[in-house]
Structures are given as structure tokens and as C-alpha cells.
Amino acid sequence: SQDVCALLVQACQLVHLDQEHLVSKVCQLIHHLLNRFQVMVDEQNLNFLLSYCISALKQCSSWTHVEILQALAALVYNNGPKCQKYLPDLLGKTGLLVQFSDSTQPDVELRRAAVRSMANLCLSVPGQPYLDESYRSVCFQTFLSVLQSSKTSDVDDITFCMLLQNALKGIQSLLNGGKMKLMQTDQIGSLLAVLKKCMFHGLPGLSIEVPAALYPAPLPQYDKRSPVKQEQSEPAAFKQTGNRRKKSKGKQKKGEFGEEGREDLGDAGNESVLGADMLKLHLGDVQSSPYSDPRTRASDVAYVPAGKDRLSSHCTSWKRISSSESEYSDAEGGIQSKMRSYQANVRQGALACFLSAIKSIEKRVLYGYWSAFVPDAPGIGSPQSVSLMTIALKDPSPKTRACALQVLSAILEGSKQFLSVAEDANDHKRAFTPFSVTIASSIRELHRCLLLALVAESSSQTLTQIVKCLANLVSNAPYSRLKPGLLTRVWNQIKPYICHKDVNVRVSSLTLLGAIVSVQAPLPEVQLLLQQPSSSGLNNSGSTTPHRFNASEQWRKALPSEGEPTDNPAGCTSSEPCWLLRLCVSIVVLPREDSCSDSDANFPSFSSVYEPCPLRLESLQVLALLVKGYFSMAQSYFLELGEVACRCMEEMDPSIQLHGAKLLEELGTGVLQQYKPDSAVAPDQRVPVSVVVTFWTVILNGPLPGTLQNSPHATLQTSACDALSSILPEAFSSLQNDQQILCVTLLLGLNHSENPLVKAAAARALGVYILFPCLRQDVMFVADTANAILNSLHDKSPNVRAKAAWSLGNLTDTLIINMETMGQSFQEEFSDLLLLKMLRSATEASKDRDKVKSNAVRALGNVLHFLQPYHIANPRFREAIEESLQALISTVQSEATMKVRWNACYALGNVFKNPALPLGEAPWTTQAYSALSSVVKSCKNFKVRIKSAMALSIPSKRECYGSAEQFCQIWSALVVALQKSEDTEDFLEFKYSASLRTQICQALLHLLSLAKSTDLPVIWETITENGNAIKSYVLQYLKSGVEENEAGVQTDLCERERVLKGAIEHLGGIEKQLEGKARVRVSVYLEDVLTNHANATELTEA
């Protein structure tokens, strides 16, 4: 490259600028050599050559300018950062490139060369500074105005295409390299408008006008097109799938640039039935101008009369010119085909640019333009709007079709929230169409168009994009709010593609099936699809290989299951084996078939024995999703699936091992869900514990322990650890003793791993095991686990600390359970030193980040509840207890996340349950009560208020509340909180207000039933001021009866009345003693409330 540079520099030194003919030749040489040899020019030579070119542009005649600019473009290519000092000359206010690329520039070749140089300057170089903001906006405006310009009659088509292409490349570089964020509406609107115009550039049979700017709107704004009569009927269920794969017999012409035509719609001159029908249905709806000006519209419509002629003319417009009856001479045909290729490049450039724009626009903003690019169901009598799907269905170039689908995929990605408003389950009979219905019809139309594209496509690369796009649509659409049927169509049409000759199509088809079984699972529609017999939907598709779908359970024979295969263990009913499950298992475990395509050769490793690796990985993912979403379908294959997971973990490929471990975890989790206390699965429908024990015995005798002990892959160890933590507690206690010890030893050992991922997973798994009934009573295990968790709580990785804090919370829950079930014996056996260490570590962790803090305060509440009188009397504990209480109080008052404060209030409630703590006497009591009283009145989050009201109603003796003054402060705070229980700025909090009132009423009645005579004056004062309000709330509380409140405590009607009666009796007794001394009659007020309640109840019963 130094030789080339030296040669060029020498040539420039020899040629003076007044020898214009030679200057032009030298510039051609620079352009040719740099492009030919891909030379990197060093800075010194670059400076010389650039200043030569710039001087030449300033001094030489205009006829040399195109060549000079071509040389300049070659020089600045990928050298942008080294050209800083020349930028004022090139891109300044009167910069050369700015002048030459101006829209007033009459010479299009010159303008194109200038735009190309400018686009090359915009390329980013990794690790180098990018163009200054001022230059960026100059370039952006230039490119935009080029794209907005129209082709005049004197301009050659191909030159104009190249001009557009260069401008599109420039914008794409600005978006990618400059990490440009598109913010202003006018900027976004103008850019999207030109991209929409260019993405249809030269598309045969289509003439559209796009306004200068698009505007965001929830509903389509402009598509006021001339209505065209067209037959719009749903295609019959594509029975002619057999015809689909017809390939063109015509040889491809060299001038075609390798573009594949859409010959698959039938051979020239002999339309297949399907082809004709498809065209009739979906190629007739071509659009005219969206302008409302009638003059422009009439001239833009390029329609042929409806009927047969129209159909054939559409075909010819995008058939390749291959027949001898061609109306072009050979030379003309070559030019035609060359021009088509250039137009396709413009469309591809526009779509690539659009893809970059999507990344630069906030999703929220982008969805304002949804209707401009995504099809909507056509109205009656009006044609469908042009959209990305128009290209995907009609563009003759498969590459362009694939680009359009990529863009559509990018728009759909992350659209779940936007699409979640869609609803068409109810038939709306309204004067206007609600936004939810508009979006729903758009979702339906997308399904329809993508399935049409699927049937019509012949190029494997484009097929893969169609299927990926469908998978993105399925993952984001809110099917539970839409009429069923959409997924059934997708399911039935994708089945044949699982046996497609191209492995990428097969992989993406499995991805799509995975999306179907994971979206909003379980959906009734998908449940039915999974139960369908395997044959349905597979008939007469020529490309299917029968082997994978045959009913013989070959893969079952391939799995040596322990003892007899449990085809139908108790409670696992399955009339028809699940088609998808069998397919995926057979892809994973059965040897490959010979009928595979060449593209499999890219995937060596097991290529000789098994299916290609990506296909097996995708099958394993689908199995895991199937087990997760539809466990009831998969449970009759429970042991077999365990075998599959084991086999995968025994293989050499770490990615297969990893997916085997993930499948194992999902199987374990599925059983755990069935056995949860609130599970809706009837006991006889669950996987029997004996089967679960068999399953884990096989797993623990298999590759799992080995993987955990010595795998070099951290991610795999992490997954294996998660799998081990998904064991059912009831099954764990029935495992053999040595296997239980093996599990525990493995987890305690992994807790010392150097890798933070593994260490975090081990800490979490210990937190799961500590809750197992058979382990939690073992003091030694609890102590070992506590030491391991405390070690992880001081780790430098925040993720490890967060998992350790969660486990510490669980471990302290265990202490409380043991205290309540085993009593004194456990408390005495548990090491004081370890307890103190836990208290100190949890206090420290409560000052960590929020993810650690929320569980650290939970642990503190439990430990403080667990402490015995002899701990509290111990001087070594005194300081730690004081610090931990201060930590809890400050967390309640802090600005931490709501979950942290919620847990801190709960923890203080826990502290109040310990009778050994000097509640009411110690100074911290006042601080704790005042923190809770302040939160119950004013916290934005109602769940935090509920927890604080709950904590305030826990102390069981009047002494615990301290002085009369303190008692009355709590009472007054609760009364204020009751009146403020409906004030919220956040609508989402409103649903908790009833629970909050219930909790506050319980707290108030609790306080009344403990009140002393000295408390009554203040109580009476608040009653005289707010008596009516309090009365209505208490009546509501009594009336609301059996209700599950936020605390999850069920209190029935009589219980509430009993508490009120108890309070009345208690207060009545005190007031009797005060006879004559004070005129306080709280009990009378409460009796009045009770009478009102009784009368109301009688009325409702009557």
C-alpha cells in the first residue's frame, strides 16, 4: 500500500493543476487504484492528496470535477476522522461538497459524485471521534433534500438511482455511526416520508405519492386513494400447497445480477391455479396517490381495466424478460434488467436505512407512525394501504422482500405494550371505530398477509425472514383479547416447513412454534392445537418427510427408561400423544436423516450422527417452553423428558448441555407449581411423588453432579445449580440418604466458586433448600448454610449479595418456624455467635443497594423476633440490637423503593411480636412508632401504608405503646390515615384503598380494646370532631364481612363484631370507674355504631 501511495503522490507532484486533461487522468488513477487494492492511505500522504484534490476543485474547469470528486470520495472513505482540517473547505457554509450537492446543481453526475464523497465522510471509524454536530446536520439536510427531489426527464434512470442510493447510505451512516437520536417530530416525519417513497422506488405496477412529511397519529390519515373494485375474499385454506414449489424453467439471464424473480407463482404462460388465485386476490390491490388533490390522483392511477387483462399485465410487469416474444431487443432488455437491479438496490438501501432509523427513534414515538408502514384491513370498497407488506408480497427481488420483513420485525419487536390495547373479542356496534379495534384489525391483517407471503415465497433466505417476522408478531400480540383462530392458522401453515430442505427455515419454524407455546400461556386455543392428532395439517404437502411424524414411538425406543416406561402414570391423562413434543424429542435424540440440504454443512460437530446443532438447540428450547406453559400436556412424558435432558447433559457440546439443564429446571419447576398450596391442580392430577423421586434418582445418578463439580463452563454450572434447586421438597425427603447429602454438599461447595454467576446460583439454591421441612430442623445444616450465606453476603458482586440476602431472609423465616414448632430446644442448640453474626451482617446489608436491602430488612425483623431474653440481656448483643433497630427505622422513613419500605414495615411488625424486647420503655420505641405513624398517613404507596397499619396493630399489651401521649399520637395518625385512605394521585394505588381501610379499622379497634382511662380524653376529642366519618368507615368495615385483606388474613363477619363488642365492654368498664369525673362516653358511641350495623343487616336480610 505504501508503493501505491508513493506512486499517487508522485503523479500529483508531476501534474500541475493547469494541465486539466492530466489532472482528470490522475484523479481517475487515484479512484481506480484505491478501490482496486483497498489501500489504507497514511495520514501524511492523505493530507497531500486531499489538498491536491481540493485545490483542483477550486481551480480546474467544471468538466474535470466529476473525476476529482470520485478521487476525493475514494480518499475520504473510512478516513473521516483524519480529514478534520479539510472539513471547513468541504462541508462549511460555502463548502465545495455543499455547493456541488445543492438541489440547484444542474449536472446530476456532479451532484451524485459530491453526495457520494459526503456519504463517505460520514462513515464512522471504530474508536475514532465522529463528525461534529454542525457538519452532521449539514450532511443530514443535504441527503434529505436529495431524497426529496424528483427525477427530471433529462436525467438517466440509473444515475438517479445511484444518487438516491448514495444519499441513503449517508443517512444510514449518520444514524449508525453518529448514534444519532431522532427527536424532533418534523425531522422524523420528513425522514420517514422519504424512506417510504424510496422503499417503493421502481416497484413494478405501483405508483404512489407520499407527502413531504408524515405525522404521528393513532389512525391512518392520508390514505385517501381512489377506490377500486376488487374481489376481497379470504383465500380457501390453501389446499394447493402441492403446487407451491414449482420452480421457473427459464434460465436466469446474466444481466439479472443474480436476482431471483418471483417465478414461483407459475411458469411463464402457464399460470398455476394457485398463482392465478393469489394474484387475483392480492396483487390487484395496488394503490394510487394518497394525495387528495383530484388532478394528481387521476394522472397517477396506472391501473389496467379489471379482469383477466389486468391480471396478466401485472404478471408481465414483473416477470423476467425471458420469452422470445419479448417486446425489447436484447440490448434494451439488458438495460431494462440493469435498471431494475439498480431500482431494487434503492429499495434495499431505503429499507436498510429505515432499520437504522428504528433504532434511533424511541419506540413510543415510532408507534405514532404505525399506520404508515403496517397494513390495516382495507375498508369496504377501498383498496388496502401500501405498507411494508406490499413489498414483502410483491417485490420481484427476494433480497428486497427479506429487507422489508426485517424492518417489519424490528417494528414488531418490543411492541407488546403498544399492541396490548387491541381488542376485537366483543363486536363493537358504534358510530366510530375505537383505537383498540383499529389495532386489532391491523394485527389480523398482519397475520393474513404474512401467511400469504409464506405460501408464495420461494427463496429460502426470505422464507426464514417471513417466519422470524411471524414469530415476532406472535410474541407481541395480545391473543387473549382477540377472537381465537389466528394462532390456529399460523400453526397449521407452519407445520410443513419443519421439514423444509433449508435448515435455517426449519430452525425459524421451530422458533415460531416456541413463540406460540410461550405467548400468554396457557391459551385455550393453543391447548387444543397441542392435542390435535399429529397428521392434521401435514397432508399433501410435498416437502414433508413422513419419518418425523409417523406414529411409531421410535424415540421412545431410543430412550432406555428405567424399568417399564410409564406411559400413563397415575393422574397423567393423555389420549393423543402431543405432536409437537414428539417432534422435538425426535429431532434431539434420533439420528439425522439423509434428506438434508447442503446448508447443513455449515454445522459440523455431530453432523454425521445427529440433526444440525441449531435445530437441536431450538427443539430443546421449544420443549422447555412447552413444559413451562403447558405442563399438563408434557407430564405424561415426564420421565422420558428427564432422559432427554440427561442425554443432552452427557454430550460434548456445551450449548446442548446447557439447554438440557434448562429443560431439567423447567421439569422440576412444573412439578413444584403443581404442589404449591394455592395450586388449582387436583391432587390426583399431579405427577405422583413416587414418579418425581424416580425422576430425581435417575438425574442424580446421571451427569448432573459431574457437571456441577467440574464443568469449565460457568453458565452451564449456573443452570445446573438452578435445576438442582427445582427439586420437590416432598420428593427430596424420600431420596436415599447419600443422594440428599450429595445435593447439600454440592451446593455448599459451589458457594465458594470464584465465578459470581455460579456463586449467586448456589446462594439462591441454599435459600430454597433451607425451607425443606426435612432439612430445616437439622441444626448443623442450618448453621452450615448460614455460614455459607453470610460469606456470600460480603461478596463484591451485587448479584451474589442480592441472592444471598434473599436466602438469608428464607433462613431467618426457618428460625421462626422452628421456634414455633420445636420450641426451646432449637433455640438453645443454635449458636449465639452465629446469631450475632447474622444480626450484624443483615444490619450492614440493609445499607446496601435496594435489591439487597429489601431482603436484609426482612431478615432483621425475623432475627429480632427470634432473640431470647438471655440474648437481649447479653452485653455483646446490646449494641448490635440497637444498630439493627435504627437501621429498620431509618429504612421505613427512607426514599428507598416501595418494596424495601414495605418489607421494613413488615419487619418492625415482626419485632413487636417479641415479648422479650423492652417495647414501650426503650427510646427506640418512640422512633419506631413515629416512623410508622408518619408513613401510614402520607406514603404514596398504599401497600406500604397497609403494612405500617398492620405493624401498629401488633403489640398485644397497652404498656407496649408507652405513654398516653404516644398512644394518642398513634391513634390520631390512624384516624387521619383513615380519612386520607381515598386520596391518591396514582390511579393504580386506588385498588388497595379498601384493604387499607380494613387494616386501619382493625388497628383502631385494637387500640380501643387496650385503651386506659388516661387515653380516653384524646380519643373522645377526635370522635367529637370526626365521629361521622369514622362511623361510616367502621360500618363499611363491619359490612364488608368475609374479605381477604392485603395481609392475607381471613376475618369473618362475627370476628369483626366480636372485636367491636370486646372494645365496647372494655371501655364501658373504664368509663364506669370514671363516673362523674369525666363526661367521656366512647362506649356509647361504639354501641350506636353496632346498633346501626345490626339494623342495616336486618334490613338486608329482610
Side-chain angles (χ1 to χ4, degrees):
S1 80
Q2 282 172 336
D3 296 350
V4 173
C5 292
L7 173 76
L8 293 175
V9 168
Q10 203 168 2
C12 293
Q13 284 166 339
L14 290 172
V15 174
H16 292 288
L17 294 177
D18 50 7
Q19 299 168 292
E20 292 190 346
H21 200 76
L22 288 176
V23 169
S24 134
K25 293 291 178 206
V26 165
C27 287
Q28 283 176 8
L29 186 67
I30 294 175
H31 174 231
H32 178 74
L33 288 180
L34 292 184
N35 280 345
R36 174 79 187 277
F37 296 112
Q38 300 290 308
V39 177
M40 281 302 290
V41 188
D42 60 282
E43 199 147 358
Q44 191 185 349
N45 290 326
L46 183 70
N47 283 338
F48 177 81
L49 293 167
L50 275 176
S51 44
Y52 182 85
C53 289
I54 290 169
S55 309
L57 281 172
K58 287 177 178 170
Q59 290 176 36
C60 299
S61 318
S62 58
W63 71 268
T64 60
H65 287 174
V66 172
E67 269 89 10
I68 302 169
L69 283 170
Q70 282 177 339
L72 185 75
L75 284 166
V76 299
Y77 184 79
N78 268 342
N79 282 323
K82 296 181 195 160
C83 306
Q84 290 299 327
K85 59 179 174 191
Y86 301 101
L87 292 179
D89 271 342
L90 296 170
L91 299 176
K93 279 272 186 290
T94 54
L96 293 164
L97 295 181
V98 177
Q99 285 174 31
F100 292 140
S101 60
D102 192 61
S103 52
T104 53
Q105 172 59 249
D107 182 350
V108 176
E109 274 296 348
L110 186 60
R111 190 179 180 197
R112 185 181 84 75
V115 170
R116 184 171 172 205
S117 298
M118 199 182 272
N120 283 358
L121 269 173
C122 292
L123 284 169
S124 70
V125 180
Q128 296 290 319
Y130 196 63
L131 274 180
D132 275 357
E133 183 54 50
S134 56
Y135 295 132
R136 275 188 243 181
S137 61
V138 167
C139 295
F140 186 78
Q141 272 322 117
T142 303
F143 298 141
L144 204 57
S145 60
V146 167
L147 295 173
Q148 284 164 339
S149 61
S150 311
K151 185 179 99 64
T152 48
S153 54
D154 56 337
V155 177
D156 167 30
D157 276 321
I158 290 180
T159 309
F160 188 66
C161 282
M162 288 158 87
L163 175 66
L164 293 178
Q165 220 176 320
N166 289 327
L168 287 165
K169 278 203 173 116
I171 287 189
Q172 196 182 355
S173 295
L174 284 171
L175 291 171
N176 292 353
K179 301 276 179 288
M180 187 172 169
K181 282 277 167 267
L182 295 167
M183 305 300 266
Q184 300 92 343
T185 308
D186 53 343
Q187 198 186 32
I188 296 173
S190 313
L191 176 62
L192 292 180
V194 292
L195 292 181
K196 182 163 183 176
K197 185 175 102 175
C198 292
M199 69 191 208
F200 292 109
H201 182 76
L203 188 62
L206 195 66
S207 162
I208 74 158
E209 284 285 333
V210 178
L214 298 175
Y215 298 97
L219 299 170
Q221 221 173 351
Y222 318 100
D223 292 347
K224 302 185 177 71
R225 294 202 176 71
S226 53
V228 172
K229 288 197 178 69
Q230 60 181 75
E231 305 141 285
Q232 191 69 31
S233 66
E234 273 294 332
F238 305 120
K239 291 218 176 72
Q240 305 90 340
T241 16
N243 288 342
R244 194 178 65 244
R245 298 271 168 263
K246 276 199 184 167
K247 280 282 186 296
S248 107
K249 295 188 182 70
K251 288 247 166 61
Q252 202 159 326
K253 277 211 165 166
K254 280 189 184 140
E256 280 301 307
F257 287 82
E259 290 289 6
E260 190 176 334
R262 298 216 57 183
E263 215 70 348
D264 51 294
L265 287 174
D267 300 339
N270 172 24
E271 294 294 335
S272 72
V273 192
L274 174 71
D277 285 353
M278 294 278 304
L279 279 165
K280 214 180 288 170
L281 281 165
H282 295 282
L283 303 177
D285 53 358
V286 180
Q287 286 69 27
S288 69
S289 139
Y291 269 154
S292 44
D293 180 353
R295 287 164 311 187
T296 55
R297 198 191 304 158
S299 62
D300 283 325
V301 182
Y303 283 116
V304 213
K308 198 168 178 207
D309 303 337
R310 179 174 89 178
L311 177 65
S312 55
S313 85
H314 268 305
C315 292
T316 49
S317 74
W318 37 269
K319 280 272 171 270
R320 284 196 232 110
I321 315 301
S322 58
S323 72
S324 53
E325 306 141 7
S326 162
E327 56 213 89
Y328 302 108
S329 69
D330 275 354
E332 258 185 335
I335 291 168
Q336 277 297 111
S337 97
K338 186 175 177 188
M339 188 181 83
R340 273 200 222 123
S341 165
Y342 274 99
Q343 288 172 335
N345 285 345
V346 171
R347 298 197 293 276
Q348 284 159 31
L351 291 163
C353 198
F354 194 175
L355 203 53
S356 300
I358 290 172
K359 291 170 187 156
S360 311
I361 303 174
E362 248 189 286
K363 275 281 154 88
R364 210 166 37 84
V365 178
L366 179 69
Y367 292 136
Y369 300 91
W370 175 268
S371 57
F373 297 100
V374 180
D376 185 17
I380 297 167
S382 68
Q384 189 184 23
S385 56
V386 288
S387 68
L388 287 160
M389 270 324 298
T390 315
I391 304 174
L393 283 164
K394 300 179 185 175
D395 201 296
S397 143
K399 192 174 173 191
T400 314
R401 300 196 294 270
C403 287
L405 290 156
Q406 270 179 307
V407 173
L408 185 55
S409 258
I411 292 176
L412 286 170
E413 206 167 312
S415 60
K416 189 172 276 176
Q417 200 181 352
F418 171 68
L419 297 180
S420 66
V421 298
E423 185 171 18
D424 69 352
N426 315 326
D427 289 322
H428 295 271
K429 300 277 187 286
R430 299 192 197 166
F432 67 97
T433 307
F435 184 55
S436 58
V437 176
T438 306
I439 294 296
S441 80
S442 184
I443 293 173
R444 291 193 161 279
E445 188 60 13
L446 269 174
H447 279 78
R448 190 181 73 91
C449 293
L450 284 166
L451 290 176
L452 274 173
L454 185 71
V455 169
E457 191 52 70
S458 61
S459 147
S460 294
Q461 280 92 334
T462 313
L463 254 181
T464 306
Q465 287 303 334
I466 295 172
V467 183
K468 281 183 179 169
C469 195
L470 267 169
N472 246 338
L473 171 61
V474 168
S475 303
N476 290 289
Y479 292 100
S480 51
R481 295 168 61 93
L482 302 171
K483 286 180 189 149
L486 288 176
L487 286 171
T488 306
R489 269 172 242 150
V490 176
W491 179 272
N492 289 334
Q493 267 187 260
I494 201 61
K495 273 183 170 183
Y497 292 89
I498 293 159
C499 304
H500 194 271
K501 64 181 189 307
D502 184 287
V503 77
N504 293 314
V505 174
R506 296 170 71 193
V507 171
S508 52
S509 304
L510 282 169
T511 309
L512 172 55
L513 287 167
I516 294 176
V517 294
S518 62
V519 66
Q520 294 171 309
L523 285 171
E525 183 179 358
V526 177
Q527 199 108 31
L528 288 172
L529 290 173
L530 288 167
Q531 289 164 346
Q532 273 182 3
S534 55
S535 51
S536 69
L538 285 168
N539 41 0
N540 67 24
S541 82
S543 61
T544 321
T545 31
H547 170 120
R548 284 277 174 253
F549 301 99
N550 59 8
S552 76
E553 299 275 302
Q554 261 178 299
W555 60 272
R556 286 218 163 168
K557 291 175 199 150
L559 291 175
S561 197
E562 296 287 301
E564 284 301 298
T566 48
D567 266 327
N568 198 5
C572 306
T573 50
S574 169
S575 50
E576 173 73 38
C578 174
W579 163 80
L580 181 59
L581 189 140
R582 284 177 43 218
L583 166 79
C584 291
V585 172
S586 62
I587 290 174
V588 175
V589 302
L590 289 182
R592 69 186 286 165
E593 296 168 350
D594 299 330
S595 60
C596 287
S597 76
D598 309 334
S599 61
D600 295 355
N602 309 338
F603 309 110
S605 85
F606 273 107
S607 52
S608 52
V609 192
Y610 288 122
E611 292 285 5
C613 187
L615 199 61
R616 299 178 71 213
L617 289 176
E618 205 54 57
S619 297
L620 282 167
Q621 261 175 317
V622 174
L623 281 176
L625 291 168
L626 190 61
V627 169
K628 185 178 184 177
Y630 298 87
F631 187 73
S632 57
M633 297 291 306
Q635 75 183 65
S636 46
Y637 293 98
F638 186 64
L639 291 179
E640 283 89 343
L641 288 170
E643 282 286 352
V644 172
C646 266
R647 276 200 168 196
C648 292
M649 289 180 72
E650 280 163 352
E651 285 190 25
M652 298 308 293
D653 184 333
S655 51
I656 298 271
Q657 290 176 303
L658 178 68
H659 282 78
K662 287 207 185 313
L663 174 58
L664 195 54
E665 187 191 349
E666 289 302 349
L667 287 164
T669 309
V671 175
L672 281 175
Q673 298 292 345
Q674 284 193 335
Y675 279 85
K676 268 189 169 169
D678 55 356
S679 163
V681 184
D684 62 336
Q685 293 297 310
R686 298 173 185 172
V687 179
V689 175
S690 58
V691 175
V692 184
V693 173
T694 307
F695 174 88
W696 282 105
T697 305
V698 171
I699 302 295
L700 290 169
N701 287 332
L704 185 67
T707 305
L708 283 166
Q709 278 165 310
N710 47 28
S711 168
H713 303 282
T715 339
L716 176 57
Q717 272 189 312
T718 306
S719 268
C721 214
D722 291 339
L724 194 59
S725 69
S726 68
I727 189 166
L728 183 72
E730 292 87 326
F732 184 85
S733 55
S734 305
L735 286 175
Q736 288 171 355
N737 203 25
D738 57 342
Q739 290 195 315
Q740 291 186 12
I741 294 169
L742 174 68
C743 294
V744 171
T745 315
L746 284 169
L747 292 178
L748 287 169
L750 286 172
N751 202 68
H752 297 290
S753 168
E754 295 295 304
N755 187 292
L757 282 175
V758 180
K759 194 166 182 175
R764 184 190 160 275
L766 285 172
V768 172
Y769 274 47
I770 197 70
L771 296 173
F772 287 5
C774 63
L775 289 177
R776 68 161 183 247
Q777 297 178 354
D778 177 342
V779 178
M780 290 307 294
F781 173 71
V782 176
D784 288 344
T785 303
N787 280 313
I789 289 170
L790 292 177
N791 160 38
S792 293
L793 199 56
H794 297 115
D795 196 85
K796 60 177 188 290
S797 152
N799 186 34
V800 172
R801 296 200 302 277
K803 294 281 192 280
W806 179 79
S807 294
L808 185 64
N810 285 3
L811 184 123
T812 54
D813 283 346
T814 292
L815 294 184
I816 301 298
I817 297 168
N818 286 346
M819 177 174 85
E820 287 163 358
T821 53
M822 299 165 71
Q824 212 68 37
S825 64
F826 182 83
Q827 280 159 313
E828 283 164 7
E829 274 186 63
F830 196 76
S831 151
D832 292 356
L833 202 60
L834 187 53
L835 202 58
L836 184 59
K837 204 168 149 192
M838 284 163 74
L839 197 57
R840 285 188 177 141
S841 294
T843 307
E844 201 50 47
S846 72
K847 300 176 182 113
D848 203 333
R849 53 182 70 194
D850 281 356
K851 276 190 170 168
V852 180
K853 203 183 273 188
S854 63
N855 283 302
V857 293
R858 174 165 80 104
L860 277 179
N862 282 331
V863 175
L864 289 166
H865 178 192
F866 181 80
L867 294 177
Q868 298 309 297
Y870 64 87
H871 293 131
I872 294 161
N874 184 337
R876 292 171 67 188
F877 272 87
R878 199 165 297 142
E879 191 188 346
I881 291 172
E882 183 62 37
E883 275 180 24
S884 57
L885 284 162
Q886 290 306 330
L888 280 181
I889 292 163
S890 62
T891 308
V892 169
Q893 293 168 309
S894 70
E895 287 303 306
T897 53
M898 294 312 164
K899 186 180 177 187
V900 173
R901 299 177 70 186
W902 190 78
N903 273 354
C905 292
Y906 186 80
L908 275 180
N910 240 340
V911 173
F912 295 165
K913 289 178 185 167
N914 188 345
L917 287 167
L919 196 56
E921 299 158 27
W924 59 262
T925 315
T926 315
Q927 295 168 294
Y929 286 137
S930 93
L932 291 168
S933 304
S934 142
V935 167
V936 81
K937 288 186 291 193
S938 61
C939 184
K940 285 205 278 284
N941 183 292
F942 274 23
K943 284 171 107 173
V944 176
R945 290 198 206 182
I946 290 167
K947 287 293 171 209
S948 58
M950 222 174 111
L952 287 170
S953 62
I954 282 174
S956 54
K957 297 196 178 82
R958 171 61 190 83
E959 303 79 78
C960 298
Y961 286 100
S963 65
E965 187 189 357
Q966 190 164 290
F967 182 88
C968 295
Q969 276 171 354
I970 296 170
W971 165 266
S972 306
L974 285 165
V975 171
V976 172
L978 189 60
Q979 290 169 297
K980 284 173 132 186
S981 60
E982 286 175 6
D983 304 350
T984 173
E985 291 160 26
D986 186 352
F987 178 70
L988 292 174
E989 292 304 317
F990 203 72
K991 62 182 177 199
Y992 297 116
S993 64
S995 301
L996 175 60
R997 284 194 292 279
T998 300
Q999 202 56 60
I1000 294 174
C1001 287
Q1002 269 171 12
L1004 287 172
L1005 290 178
H1006 176 71
L1007 289 177
L1008 286 173
S1009 58
L1010 296 178
K1012 292 197 301 199
S1013 54
T1014 47
D1015 306 325
L1016 291 183
V1018 174
I1019 293 176
W1020 182 244
E1021 196 184 321
T1022 49
I1023 283 175
T1024 45
E1025 283 172 26
N1026 312 301
N1028 287 340
I1030 298 172
K1031 182 175 176 176
S1032 68
Y1033 285 127
V1034 175
L1035 280 171
Q1036 199 181 344
Y1037 164 71
L1038 293 169
K1039 184 175 151 225
S1040 63
V1042 187
E1043 134 181 328
E1044 198 80 48
N1045 59 23
E1046 247 307 294
V1049 182
Q1050 209 150 13
T1051 40
D1052 60 53
L1053 200 57
C1054 313
E1055 172 63 17
R1056 293 182 182 193
E1057 281 178 34
R1058 199 174 56 68
V1059 174
L1060 179 58
K1061 283 176 183 159
I1064 293 171
E1065 271 173 44
H1066 169 74
L1067 291 168
I1070 296 175
E1071 286 167 355
K1072 246 200 192 98
Q1073 292 165 7
L1074 293 175
E1075 205 66 60
K1077 287 185 199 163
R1079 319 264 322 185
V1080 179
R1081 306 297 297 157
V1082 180
S1083 58
V1084 177
Y1085 168 80
L1086 291 176
E1087 274 169 359
D1088 178 41
V1089 172
L1090 191 61
T1091 316
N1092 268 2
H1093 171 65
N1095 294 343
T1097 315
E1098 279 169 22
L1099 278 172
T1100 48
E1101 282 171 3

